[in-house]
Amino acid sequence: FVKRCGDQFILDNKTFYFTGSNTYYLHYKDIDYGTPRVFEVAKNHGFNVLRTWAFMDQAYTQNNVYYTSFNNVTREIEVNEGENGLQRLDRIIALAEENGIRLILTLTNNWADFGGMEEWVRNFGYKEHYQFYTEPEIKKSFKKYILTLLNRTNTITGKQYKNDGTIFAWELANEPRCGGTNMGKNENCTTNTLTQWLDEMSTYIKSIDKNHMISTGEEGFGLAGVDSENDIYGFGDGNDFVANAALKNIDFATIHLYASYWGFKDFVKEGLQYFEEHAKVIKKMLNKPIIMEEFGMPKDKRDEVYPSYMQSLVDNDYNGIMFWMLAHEEYPDYDGFTLYDQD
């Protein structure tokens, strides 16, 4: 297992840094060709960690693949452990192990893609995004899903997930915020709402799985004292970056960056400031690792921007750097940020 020691990752008593990528579709798209191909390309380019989704709600089924569904009679989430369910995740983990790659597995989504928080809220008959974080029956059911994953025995490798070092870390959510895709922010949602939920869920995981690290999956919003006109450092989305990263059972911090979406006027200058400010507080104040977990830039800007980004991330001692995103050749470039083998 990769572990945390101070502000570093450690593997076999040696410091562990990584480069890697995100690939969200591994479990449902071309699992006989596309998924193995992604691991092959990643291995060829020296990537040693990939991040992918460990969730898929039935309402957003792709190719008849889903991990969870809602039972209206019992008012409970049911887990699909069959060949079009968690056996797909079994295969991803087995392929990762074969290729010497570790996985960050994300447990739910702030956004509507593939289900996520708002699907859970609707299933249980609620209307506000923040209720995913606060309603006892939703939290209880989410813990049931987590427990199923932690105690699951992989049908290919024979290892329980909680005992499998191929899993680098559990991630509580992809980009948790007070508002989502179709449900806006409610005034009842504050930074305390998110911090308390992250604390509760990370503590729950650690009570069952003492082997794996845990991260929040945040973008880096909510950071006081930064000289910037950009509101990404504000607390308006319900994130308190320092308070969340400081939680006892959160092992490392994550940031994301989409300069072309976030209103940056100077992609390089403002990007480097973003890296430096977050690393400074995590490394010096909290003595924890930090990773650049997602970043993407349109193709015509990459040659200008990426070298400066990469150098800054190294100079600021980021422990991991992950692009958005790696895909096999036949997968479309939906967002303009996709990287292929030839790139």
Side-chain angles (χ1 to χ4, degrees):
F1 297 91
V2 179
K3 300 284 190 179
R4 173 205 159 208
C5 183
D7 70 344
Q8 300 295 317
F9 295 132
I10 301 294
L11 177 64
D12 296 331
N13 296 316
K14 296 178 181 178
T15 305
F16 180 84
Y17 289 92
F18 69 84
T19 50
S21 180
N22 295 263
T23 306
Y24 60 81
Y25 65 81
L26 298 176
H27 55 310
Y28 72 86
K29 183 73 173 175
D30 295 339
I31 197 161
D32 293 321
Y33 170 75
T35 300
R37 177 64 181 143
V38 168
F39 281 108
E40 177 187 339
V41 174
K43 182 179 180 180
N44 288 344
H45 289 280
F47 288 1
N48 44 1
V49 178
L50 292 180
R51 174 174 176 253
T52 196
W53 300 158
F55 61 87
M56 185 77 160
D57 300 322
Q58 189 177 34
Y60 290 80
T61 297
Q62 300 280 339
N63 298 334
N64 201 35
V65 176
Y66 67 95
Y67 293 166
T68 53
S69 59
F70 185 71
N71 187 318
N72 285 304
V73 177
T74 62
R75 286 183 60 77
E76 264 287 359
I77 291 292
E78 294 185 348
V79 183
N80 177 11
E81 301 193 55
E83 62 181 354
N84 281 328
L86 290 182
Q87 288 182 32
R88 294 288 188 118
L89 190 54
D90 291 347
R91 184 166 180 190
I92 293 168
I93 295 170
L95 282 167
E97 182 177 7
E98 287 176 18
N99 287 277
I101 292 171
R102 295 169 194 267
L103 298 171
I104 294 175
L105 295 178
T106 306
L107 298 172
T108 191
N109 199 3
N110 189 76
W111 312 110
D113 305 279
F114 309 111
M117 296 178 185
E118 293 184 358
E119 181 63 20
W120 288 68
V121 169
R122 278 190 296 270
N123 282 335
F124 282 92
Y126 298 101
K127 296 181 179 179
E128 300 289 349
H129 186 89
Y130 82 93
Q131 290 174 300
F132 178 83
Y133 305 119
T134 60
E135 291 300 328
E137 61 180 337
I138 296 179
K139 292 193 290 182
K140 178 184 175 182
S141 198
F142 188 61
K143 287 178 180 176
K144 173 187 173 182
Y145 180 57
I146 290 172
L147 182 64
T148 301
L149 286 179
L150 299 182
N151 286 331
R152 179 173 175 78
T153 298
N154 190 309
T155 56
I156 299 171
T157 68
K159 299 176 185 178
Q160 276 189 301
Y161 282 18
K162 65 183 179 184
N163 295 324
D164 191 344
T166 299
I167 298 170
F168 179 87
W170 298 109
E171 185 163 272
L172 297 177
N174 175 53
E175 302 183 340
R177 298 191 198 180
C178 274
T181 303
N182 301 306
M183 299 177 183
K185 181 189 173 186
N186 184 290
E187 63 182 9
N188 292 322
C189 189
T190 68
T191 56
N192 287 335
T193 306
L194 265 68
T195 301
Q196 289 172 9
W197 181 84
L198 293 166
D199 188 26
E200 179 178 348
M201 293 303 163
S202 60
T203 300
Y204 179 71
I205 291 175
K206 289 283 190 179
S207 73
I208 302 161
D209 179 355
K210 305 244 188 303
N211 291 319
H212 289 105
M213 297 183 292
I214 302 173
S215 66
T216 67
E218 287 178 279
E219 295 149 283
F221 303 152
L223 185 61
V226 180
D227 183 14
S228 172
E229 297 178 359
N230 197 307
D231 62 5
I232 58 172
Y233 294 99
F235 296 82
D237 286 305
N239 303 84
D240 186 331
F241 181 70
V242 177
N244 296 341
L247 291 170
K248 176 183 177 182
N249 293 308
I250 295 301
D251 293 285
F252 60 93
T254 66
I255 66 168
H256 300 178
L257 177 60
Y258 292 97
S260 59
Y261 284 175
W262 292 1
F264 281 21
K265 297 174 183 176
D266 187 323
F267 288 168
V268 173
K269 182 180 178 180
E270 293 180 72
L272 301 194
Q273 180 187 32
Y274 198 71
F275 305 155
E276 291 164 7
E277 294 291 349
H278 286 85
K280 182 168 59 179
V281 70
I282 295 300
K283 292 279 184 173
K284 294 180 180 178
M285 183 188 298
L286 299 183
N287 192 34
K288 289 187 176 184
I290 181 171
I291 70 171
M292 165 46 78
E293 188 176 65
E294 283 189 30
F295 69 105
M297 189 64 62
K299 200 163 189 174
D300 63 346
K301 298 291 184 182
R302 291 176 190 167
D303 287 349
E304 171 191 351
V305 174
Y306 277 1
S308 297
Y309 277 14
M310 297 296 285
Q311 189 61 56
S312 177
L313 291 165
V314 172
D315 290 345
N316 285 283
D317 197 32
Y318 274 70
N319 306 83
I321 303 172
M322 311 184 81
F323 295 95
W324 185 274
M325 62 165 227
L326 179 66
H328 70 290
E329 292 84 346
E330 288 79 7
Y331 195 77
D333 182 7
Y334 287 113
D335 54 22
F337 300 140
T338 308
L339 285 163
Y340 299 96
D341 188 20
Q342 63 270 23
D343 295 325

